[in-house]
Amino acid sequence: MTLPENATPLASRGSMRRIDWETFRRIAEEAGTTLPIEQTAAWDAFDAAMDGREPWGRLVYETAAGQPRALISLTRMNVRGFPYLWARHAPVWLGQEPSAAEEAELRELLTEGVRFHDPAVVFVRLHCTHPAPGLHELLQTMAYDHTVILDLDRPDDDAFLASFKPRGRRDVRKALRNTELTYHDETDRAEEVFAELYQILLETGDRDGFHAAPEETYRTMLRTLGPDHCRLYVARRNGGQALAWSIDTVWGDGAGRYYAASTAEGRRGRAADALLYKEGCWLRERGVRTWDLMGAGSERTPELNGVGSFKGKFTAEGTVAIPGPWDVPVRPRVYAGLVRALELKHRAETGVASLRERLGSLRSERDDHADGDPEAEASARQ
């Protein structure tokens, strides 16, 4: 990608251009960087199989000397019918952490280029380290800027277990002593077993306050990424009823615990704890060295404090800060209109919920009166 001819050149005179997958992969390899799976050709297949998504293209941001500095793969999506681009877990910076000036230049080059080549795009969503006035909180989607990363580069399974905090080791060992709990790599049975597992995800969502995606999303992910890049692990009672499960993505020596769910019984029996230990051992055998548990609580996302506490007991390092995602407007006026529309929608939904709660309270008061006074019941119905 190049900027339009009339664009104002930036002080550092860096540049940005489109490249193909092989060039993208080679640049990362030469820099000794493991790409996030969302930035790979494997993820393109998942995006292409999903309605409302499509791979948009790959870019390299280069310094004034022509050295590759960051890589970006973008997916085209839409919100309320308006297209946007999402650079999931990108830019991938090569070498040292970026300065605020580098991030600002990359954003300016990117938004100018997108405005020129795809003017319908309203905003770009990408990850940044440094705060800046042009960064906006995400529309609709929860962001996270802290996570838990486990080091699987251990000589054996015992050394991996020893790296946990004392509470994590205790909980895993307690679960492993329960001979009724069994642990399985069910990647090859994903299509057959996922209906049962999806019900556990719905239960987890009701308990923890999130909405699961449609079942087909997870099936498509497992199918399109394939067994080399997506694994399904399950804890069961005596090989029967599922108690906990997780989906892990794998690319090179990196992995991410993308989704996980457990029943109430699985939580009580620490099946989820022991499954996490078991899958870490299995991933280490597959050559994974860095395992991201993907998301922990922070000032930006206090909703994840509970899950972050669970994940944090599996490493002495605890949670770590990472670049969080932000929306960067390409068409500022349209983006501002989207923000207002979503705020009105949220207020309306909040008002309906408040009204329902009030009506429920009134009905409850009416029923309480009616139980002890037949005349009050007749009055309430008029």
Side-chain angles (χ1 to χ4, degrees), residues 240-275:
Q241 180 186 1
L243 302 176
W245 63 268
S246 67
I247 289 176
D248 287 276
T249 57
V250 180
W251 182 266
D253 64 358
R257 199 172 199 242
Y258 234 88
Y259 300 108
S262 59
T263 64
E265 179 184 348
R267 287 162 64 92
R268 287 194 302 271
R270 303 295 184 188
D273 300 68
L275 177 64

Side-chain angles (χ1 to χ4, degrees), residues 132-178:
L135 303 180
H136 298 257
E137 285 289 352
L138 308 194
L139 294 174
Q140 295 183 303
T141 303
M142 180 185 295
Y144 66 84
D145 56 6
H146 282 68
T147 190
V148 173
I149 297 176
L150 305 190
D151 179 6
L152 302 187
D153 193 11
R154 313 284 179 177
D156 53 36
D157 294 350
D158 289 341
F160 175 48
L161 181 60
S163 70
F164 296 177
K165 287 181 180 177
R167 182 166 63 99
R169 293 197 299 271
R170 181 200 64 206
D171 291 344
V172 168
R173 286 170 174 153
K174 182 177 180 180
L176 292 176
R177 287 195 294 268
N178 184 347

Side-chain angles (χ1 to χ4, degrees), residues 74-377:
L74 296 138
T75 299
R76 200 175 199 266
M77 306 180 73
N78 72 81
V79 56
R80 299 178 71 86
F82 293 89
Y84 68 97
L85 302 181
W86 194 347
R88 296 175 185 265
H89 296 284
V92 180
W93 292 92
L94 308 173
Q96 65 185 14
E97 292 296 314
S99 67
E102 284 180 312
E103 287 193 332
E105 180 178 74
L106 181 147
R107 288 195 300 272
E108 187 166 351
L109 287 167
L110 180 59
T111 54
E112 289 286 351
V114 169
R115 190 179 296 119
F116 180 73
H117 289 276
D118 195 347
V121 168
V122 177
F123 64 94
V124 176
R125 180 168 293 165
L126 75 169
H127 294 247
C128 300
T129 299
H130 303 281
L135 303 180
H136 298 257
E137 285 289 352
L138 308 194
L139 294 174
Q140 295 183 303
T141 303
M142 180 185 295
Y144 66 84
D145 56 6
H146 282 68
T147 190
V148 173
I149 297 176
L150 305 190
D151 179 6
L152 302 187
D153 193 11
R154 313 284 179 177
D156 53 36
D157 294 350
D158 289 341
F160 175 48
L161 181 60
S163 70
F164 296 177
K165 287 181 180 177
R167 182 166 63 99
R169 293 197 299 271
R170 181 200 64 206
D171 291 344
V172 168
R173 286 170 174 153
K174 182 177 180 180
L176 292 176
R177 287 195 294 268
N178 184 347
T179 57
E180 288 188 347
L181 295 178
T182 56
Y183 308 93
H184 312 267
D185 181 341
E186 301 195 6
T187 306
D188 294 337
R189 301 177 60 216
E191 283 292 330
E192 174 189 344
V193 303
F194 200 78
E196 175 192 13
L197 304 184
Y198 186 69
Q199 295 306 308
I200 298 176
L201 183 62
L202 295 178
E203 175 187 331
T204 303
D206 289 342
R207 182 180 64 233
D208 294 347
F210 68 86
H211 296 288
E215 183 177 344
E216 188 57 28
T217 300
Y218 308 94
R219 291 182 178 273
T220 301
M221 183 181 192
L222 286 157
R223 183 175 63 252
T224 57
L225 293 183
D228 288 341
H229 302 299
C230 198
R231 310 297 299 180
L232 175 64
Y233 301 115
V234 186
R236 297 182 178 274
R237 188 197 305 119
N238 293 320
Q241 180 186 1
L243 302 176
W245 63 268
S246 67
I247 289 176
D248 287 276
T249 57
V250 180
W251 182 266
D253 64 358
R257 199 172 199 242
Y258 234 88
Y259 300 108
S262 59
T263 64
E265 179 184 348
R267 287 162 64 92
R268 287 194 302 271
R270 303 295 184 188
D273 300 68
L275 177 64
L276 189 146
Y277 163 69
K278 285 287 189 178
E279 66 191 271
C281 296
W282 290 327
L283 290 170
R284 187 180 61 80
E285 290 174 359
R286 298 185 69 84
V288 172
R289 295 295 173 260
T290 303
W291 187 24
D292 187 348
L293 301 189
M294 301 192 71
S298 70
E299 185 175 323
R300 223 178 142 190
T301 53
E303 302 92 333
L304 296 178
N305 284 340
V307 71
S309 176
F310 169 78
K311 296 173 182 178
K313 65 185 178 181
F314 298 104
T315 174
E317 284 71 25
T319 63
V320 295
I322 58 171
W326 299 90
D327 287 348
V328 180
V330 177
R331 300 171 63 192
R333 291 183 180 178
V334 180
Y335 184 83
L338 272 175
V339 171
R340 287 193 296 271
L342 288 169
E343 285 176 349
L344 289 172
K345 179 177 181 244
H346 177 70
R347 288 176 190 171
E349 290 173 346
T350 302
V352 169
S354 177
L355 178 59
R356 286 175 177 165
E357 183 179 348
R358 178 59 181 155
L359 288 173
S361 176
L362 289 172
R363 291 190 187 101
S364 177
E365 290 175 7
R366 180 200 68 187
D367 293 342
D368 288 343
H369 287 302
D371 286 342
D373 187 349
E375 291 184 2
E377 180 180 8

